[in-house]
Amino acid sequence: MKNVPLYLAGEFVDSQTTDWIDVTNPATNEVIARAPCTTHAEMQRAIAHAGEVFKSWKEVPVSERARVMLRYQALLKEHHDDIAKILSRETGKTFEDAKGDVWRGIEVVEHAANIPSLMMGETVENVAREIDTYSYTQPLGVCAGITPFNFPAMIPLWMFPMAIACGNTFILKPSEQDPLTPMRLAELFEEAGAPKGVLQVVHGGKDQVDMLLTDPAIKAVSFVGSVPVGRYIYETGTRNMKRVQSLAGAKNHMVIMPDADKQQVINALVGASVGAAGQRCMAISVAVFVGDAQAWIPDVKDALAKARPGAWDDKGASFGPIISGRAKARIEHLIETGVSQGANLLLDGRGCTVDGLPDGNWVGPTLFSGVTTEMDVYKEEVFGPVLACMEVGSLGEAISLINQSPYGNGTSLFTSSGGAARRFQHEIEVGQVGINIPIPVPLPFFSFTGWKGSFYGDQHTYGKQAVRFYTETKTVTARWFSSEATSEANFSIQLR
Ligand code: NAD
C-alpha cells in the first residue's frame, strides 16, 4: 500500500501528517493507498510558495505558456491508457469509460494551448482626439481547485490548465476518494516542462478546503461537487472576497415525444442513466414520456435489464461499481423510499452480485415507473444506476415540470419535430440542452454552463468564460502628443 504524496513546492513528498484517509478499489474494497490530510503548516507552505512562483510565472511570455500546454497534451496522449488504468482501479470505471474521462480532459488542455488568442484584449483608436484605449487581460495570482470523485482526470483538467495558461499558479485539492489519477496528471505536467511550483497538489477534506477558502492570498476558487458542499464553498469563498465558480449536483430529465425514434431513445436512455453507474452529473435520471409512457417502458426495461456491472477490464460490463460502501447504502435507501412512497419498481438493482468480486459496491440497473415530484427518488440526486419514469400530457407540461426543478445542469429532448425542438431549447430553464443527444456536455471551446442550483457563480468553467474567471481586465487610455500642448488645464469632465 502506498502513501499518496503531496506535490508541494515543486517536489513529490510524503506529508508529515498523522491523519490518513484510505483509498479503496471499489470493485473489491481492498485498500490500495492512503491519502494524507495535509497539515496546517504544509498548507501554509503551499499557499506561500504559490504566491512566490506567481511573480515569475506571470512574466513568462504567453506563447511559452501555450507551449507547455502543447507538450502536456502530447504527453497525456502518450500516457492515455496508463492514466485510464490508474483511474479504473481507484474508481472502478470500465476501461472504455475511464479512457473517455482522460480524453475529455485532454481536450481542455488543447483549448488551453490556444491561450494567446483567448487572452487578447480590445483596442479602439481615437476614442477622443489623439487618444487610444486598449485593454489587457492579466492573471489574478494564486488560484485553487477542489474536485469530486467522479471524473478524477477530466475535472482537474477543466481547471488547472486554463488557470495556469492564463499566468496564474494553482493549488489542486482533488477528491480524497481517488487521488492517484490527479497525482499522475501532476507528474506529467512537470515532465511537460511546467516550472516547479506552478501547480501544487494537496490532499484532505474540509479542513484543507477551508484554508483555501479563507486564506487572503488565494484569489479564485473553482469547485465541482455536491450541492450542499457547493453552496458552502460559494458562500464561504465569496464572504472571504474571492472569485468562486461552484459547479454542483444535478437531476437531469430526458423528454421523449411520441414521434421520437424508438431505438435511438432506448439506446440513449440506457447509456445515459446507468453508464458510469449513474455517477455523472449529466446522467439522465428522469425519463419524461409525453403521451402514453407504457408505449415505451417495457422496451426500456428489457434493454436496461441487459446492462450489467462488472470489473474495469471485463469487456462485457456496462458499468463499474459505486465509489464507496456508504454511497451504495445511500442509493439502496433511496430505492427503498421509492417503493415505500408508491412508485412501481420494475427493475431492482439492490443485492446485485458480480462473479469473483463478492466485496465490491455493486448496484444493478434499477427502473421505476409512476414516479411523482413528491417522491425522494425524484427530488434527490441518486447518483446511482437508477432511472425514474414519468408521464405527462404535453410538451408544455414537460417543460413546466423541468423548469420547476431546482437544478439546471442538463436536459434533452428526443423528437423528430423541429418545432418541438425549437420550443424546448427556447423555453427550458436549463443550461445545457441536448436535441436527440442525451448527455450534451459542450466541448471546451464552449463553456460548461449549468444553471440554477447546479451552479453558483458568474463565469463558467473552460471555454472563453474560464479566461474571464482566471484573469483581470486592465483598460489603458493613452495619449501621445504629436504637437505641442496648446490647451490649458481642465477642471471639468471633457465633452468629446
Ligand atoms: P462532494 O461534494 O462530496 O466532494 C467534492 C469535493 O469537496 C471533494 O474534494 C471533497 O473532499 C470536498 N468536500 C467534501 N465535503 C466538504 C466540506 N464539508 N467542506 C469542504 N469541502 C468538502 O462530491 P463528490 O461526492 O465527490 O462528487 C459527486 C457530486 O459532484 C455529485 O453531486 C455530482 O453531481 C457533482 N458533480 C457536479 C458536476 C458539475 O459539473 N456540475 C460535475 C461532476 C460532479
Side-chain angles (χ1 to χ4, degrees):
M1 192 188 44
K2 79 178 228 182
N3 289 346
V4 184
L6 303 171
Y7 184 32
L8 186 61
E11 306 298 332
F12 291 91
V13 291
D14 264 349
S15 170
Q16 298 304 305
T17 189
T18 51
D19 198 1
W20 297 82
I21 304 166
D22 286 345
V23 180
T24 54
N25 173 347
T28 60
N29 270 310
E30 162 207 8
V31 177
I32 53 175
R34 52 179 205 163
C37 292
T38 311
T39 65
H40 191 81
E42 289 161 345
M43 289 296 297
Q44 279 181 324
R45 182 157 175 235
I47 295 168
H49 188 74
E52 261 322 293
V53 174
F54 174 65
K55 292 178 195 158
S56 52
W57 179 242
K58 71 175 177 167
E59 301 302 338
V60 171
V62 66
S63 48
E64 260 182 60
R65 302 201 304 260
R67 272 179 224 123
V68 172
M69 298 301 156
L70 288 172
R71 287 194 296 272
Y72 191 39
Q73 185 260 16
L75 271 178
L76 288 171
K77 277 174 72 181
E78 189 186 324
H79 294 275
H80 180 268
D81 286 9
D82 299 336
I83 304 169
K85 275 184 198 151
I86 297 170
L87 196 155
S88 285
R89 189 154 173 250
E90 61 179 347
T91 62
K93 282 191 191 192
T94 63
F95 191 44
E96 285 311 306
D97 201 33
K99 285 195 281 188
D101 187 332
V102 179
W103 183 252
R104 295 311 293 259
I106 291 176
E107 289 176 328
V108 184
V109 178
E110 287 170 0
H111 181 65
N114 293 312
I115 200 66
S117 46
L118 289 169
M119 283 189 77
M120 276 182 183
E122 296 174 314
T123 313
V124 175
E125 192 187 38
N126 273 346
V127 292
R129 207 164 285 279
E130 295 188 333
I131 296 180
D132 306 325
T133 298
Y134 41 92
S135 64
Y136 297 114
T137 47
Q138 296 191 335
L140 292 178
V142 183
C143 302
I146 298 135
T147 54
F149 80 83
N150 66 330
F151 283 98
M154 178 184 81
I155 294 181
L157 292 172
W158 279 2
M159 298 177 181
F160 74 79
M162 290 301 293
I164 289 174
C166 286
N168 301 289
T169 52
F170 200 88
I171 301 173
L172 175 69
K173 205 300 286 171
S175 170
E176 64 282 16
Q177 298 189 86
D178 45 19
L180 298 170
T181 307
M183 289 317 292
R184 186 68 190 124
L185 299 180
E187 287 166 5
L188 292 172
F189 195 56
E190 185 171 306
E191 226 176 281
K196 284 179 179 292
V198 163
L199 172 69
Q200 298 179 88
V201 187
V202 296
H203 303 284
K206 183 175 179 345
D207 289 350
Q208 290 69 25
V209 171
D210 280 346
M211 278 195 75
L212 299 174
L213 290 174
T214 52
D215 193 299
I218 292 185
K219 303 299 174 206
V221 174
S222 186
F223 169 84
V224 180
S226 61
V227 167
V229 183
R231 289 185 67 104
Y232 170 76
I233 299 276
Y234 185 74
E235 285 169 3
T236 313
T238 51
R239 203 168 47 246
N240 283 278
M241 312 309 282
K242 299 183 196 320
R243 274 187 201 182
V244 180
Q245 59 178 198
S246 181
L247 286 71
K251 194 82 197 177
N252 306 308
H253 303 68
M254 175 167 142
V255 178
I256 299 101
M257 297 294 284
D259 64 3
D261 180 280
K262 191 158 219 171
Q263 198 53 51
Q264 296 284 4
V265 165
I266 289 164
N267 293 347
L269 266 183
V270 171
S273 61
V274 304
Q279 299 171 111
R280 291 176 178 147
C281 67
M282 290 288 278
I284 293 294
S285 50
V286 186
V288 184
F289 296 98
V290 176
D292 181 14
Q294 277 313 313
W296 301 87
I297 288 176
D299 293 316
V300 174
K301 179 181 168 189
D302 288 349
L304 261 184
K306 291 188 192 122
R308 66 168 182 85
W312 72 275
D313 55 353
D314 171 353
K315 292 204 167 56
S318 319
F319 56 89
I322 302 302
I323 190 70
S324 66
R326 215 178 81 201
K328 175 187 165 183
R330 184 179 166 276
I331 294 166
E332 292 191 334
H333 168 72
L334 280 164
I335 296 173
E336 184 50 41
T337 64
V339 175
S340 64
Q341 292 170 8
N344 310 312
L345 183 57
L346 305 178
L347 283 176
D348 187 353
R350 292 173 296 179
C352 172
T353 55
V354 168
D355 285 348
L357 294 166
D359 298 324
N361 310 317
W362 308 109
V363 178
T366 300
L367 181 66
F368 280 109
S369 68
V371 172
T372 62
T373 53
E374 300 80 41
M375 294 176 182
D376 289 343
V377 73
Y378 177 78
K379 289 191 291 193
E380 297 282 321
E381 182 183 39
V382 180
F383 229 54
V386 179
L387 180 64
C389 295
M390 304 174 83
E391 184 181 292
V392 295
S394 65
L395 177 60
E397 258 183 67
I399 292 172
S400 146
L401 171 83
I402 296 169
N403 287 354
Q404 282 167 45
S405 165
Y407 299 105
N409 223 28
T411 188
S412 86
L413 175 74
F414 273 67
T415 184
S416 54
S417 157
R422 175 68 177 67
R423 178 178 175 197
F424 186 76
Q425 73 191 32
H426 183 64
E427 293 183 13
I428 207 74
E429 291 165 9
V430 172
Q432 297 170 110
V433 182
I435 303 296
N436 295 318
I437 290 177
I439 302 192
V441 175
L443 284 173
F445 23 91
F446 291 91
S447 297
F448 187 98
T449 52
W451 281 18
K452 300 197 282 189
S454 298
F455 178 74
Y456 306 101
D458 310 289
Q459 303 289 347
H460 292 273
T461 196
Y462 64 75
K464 292 192 188 103
Q465 296 199 24
V467 178
R468 283 183 220 129
F469 181 72
Y470 288 122
T471 58
E472 284 284 15
T473 302
K474 182 180 282 175
T475 310
V476 181
T477 300
R479 168 156 60 188
W480 290 98
F481 304 104
S482 58
S483 54
E484 278 175 28
T486 50
S487 54
E488 294 172 353
N490 281 307
F491 298 99
S492 54
I493 291 173
Q494 292 292 287
L495 301 176
R496 286 165 177 164

